[in-house]
Amino acid sequence: EPEVTQTPSHQVTQMGQEVILRCVPISNHLYFYWYRQILGQKVEFLVSFYNNEISEKSEIFDDQFSVERPDGSNFTLKIRSTKLEDSAMYFCASSERQQGVSEQYFGPGTRLTVT
Amino acid sequence: GENVEQHPSTLSVQEGDSAVIKCTYSDSASNYFPWYKQELGKRPQLIIDIRSNVGEKKDQRIAVTLNKTAKHFSLHITETQPEDSAVYFCAARDGYSSASKIIFGSGTRLSIRP
């Protein structure tokens, strides 16, 4: 069964550094998402992406964040200048285009630790 | 926007007994209500979902109910087993579009006592 994959599984970075988290969505999916989960808390929506542009973003997704689909397979989340509070698990998800409701499939996550 | 409330935050049940987790949502436009199971350090896994045109859905030991009028939905696990121990999140999709975001509840940590 096809799965969403993410790399790296764990990223440690110093405050102020830039990080890029990578995701490979399921190949026939057209909608892509990033969520984050601070340790012990709920999963929070960051951004959705369709047709090479952002569909929606949350208040968390400020100017320090950006997303890109640089080629036909990768979907990336960049944090320009990391802060301590960016430490969290970041999940990528994708869904296929269809009438009505479509399930979002989550990747295994990247644990980001900002020191 | 949508807001999802979930309770209890922790739940401990004897193996073999039933567990019930309850959620409420705020936006009557929400039309899709998935439930996710998350084991420690792992991704959220969809275990069951319900659409707004259905009142109840069952899959083996798991059932979900939806009351659109009251904006309540619940997860029922019967004959609980040790492998059911995990954090469970209810969620609601905020909007009709396939691009719509999922709003998660705060989670219920379910522990099954042997």
Side-chain angles (χ1 to χ4, degrees):
Chain A
E1 186 177 336
E3 287 189 333
V4 176
T5 59
Q6 289 183 244
T7 54
S9 57
H10 191 189
Q11 174 87 49
V12 181
T13 190
Q14 287 193 325
M15 193 169 53
Q17 296 296 304
E18 174 184 287
V19 294
I20 297 176
L21 309 183
R22 291 182 166 79
C23 168
V24 179
I26 295 173
S27 62
N28 64 332
H29 287 188
L30 298 177
Y31 297 88
F32 313 115
Y33 315 82
W34 283 101
Y35 293 82
R36 79 169 187 192
Q37 185 178 33
I38 294 170
L39 187 63
Q41 297 186 22
K42 66 179 175 181
V43 179
E44 300 173 288
F45 169 78
L46 291 178
V47 64
S48 58
F49 190 87
Y50 170 70
N51 200 25
N52 284 318
E53 60 184 26
I54 290 174
S55 302
E56 188 175 4
K57 58 184 180 179
S58 71
E59 293 175 352
I60 303 167
F61 194 89
D62 61 23
D63 292 344
Q64 294 299 313
F65 291 86
S66 62
V67 289
E68 195 178 30
R69 190 157 161 80
D71 53 42
S73 59
N74 288 284
F75 179 51
T76 62
L77 174 69
K78 182 193 289 187
I79 309 175
R80 267 179 267 282
S81 178
T82 50
K83 304 187 284 284
L84 292 176
E85 53 264 37
D86 293 328
S87 294
M89 182 75 96
Y90 288 79
F91 292 104
C92 172
S94 68
S95 65
E96 60 182 330
R97 180 177 184 175
Q98 61 176 278
Q99 291 291 337
V101 171
S102 56
E103 178 183 344
Q104 291 182 17
Y105 293 81
F106 284 79
T110 293
R111 181 169 297 284
L112 176 65
T113 303
V114 182
T115 61
Chain B
E2 177 62 273
N3 182 49
V4 178
E5 300 284 339
Q6 180 172 353
H7 60 96
S9 57
T10 60
L11 180 60
S12 178
V13 300
Q14 193 75 34
E15 183 178 350
D17 288 350
S18 296
V20 180
I21 301 171
K22 298 184 178 183
C23 291
T24 61
Y25 64 99
S26 61
D27 189 351
S28 55
S30 292
N31 63 353
Y32 173 64
F33 305 91
W35 285 86
Y36 292 88
K37 176 182 180 182
Q38 188 178 34
E39 296 173 350
L40 191 62
K42 300 285 183 65
R43 77 186 85 189
Q45 294 269 23
L46 180 73
I47 55 171
I48 196 166
D49 57 20
I50 190 165
R51 270 73 166 160
S52 59
N53 59 346
V54 174
E56 186 173 352
K57 182 176 177 180
K58 191 172 181 181
D59 182 4
Q60 299 183 352
R61 296 185 297 108
I62 296 173
V64 291
T65 59
L66 171 64
N67 181 331
K68 281 189 65 180
T69 304
K71 300 197 189 79
H72 290 173
F73 57 118
S74 301
L75 176 73
H76 303 251
I77 306 174
T78 58
E79 300 171 22
T80 52
Q81 300 169 4
E83 53 265 35
D84 295 329
S85 295
V87 178
Y88 290 81
F89 292 96
C90 62
R93 187 147 91 184
D94 184 15
Y96 290 111
S97 144
S98 292
S100 298
K101 62 184 182 284
I102 288 175
I103 303 298
F104 286 79
S106 53
T108 296
R109 183 173 299 279
L110 175 63
S111 301
I112 307 301
R113 303 190 304 269

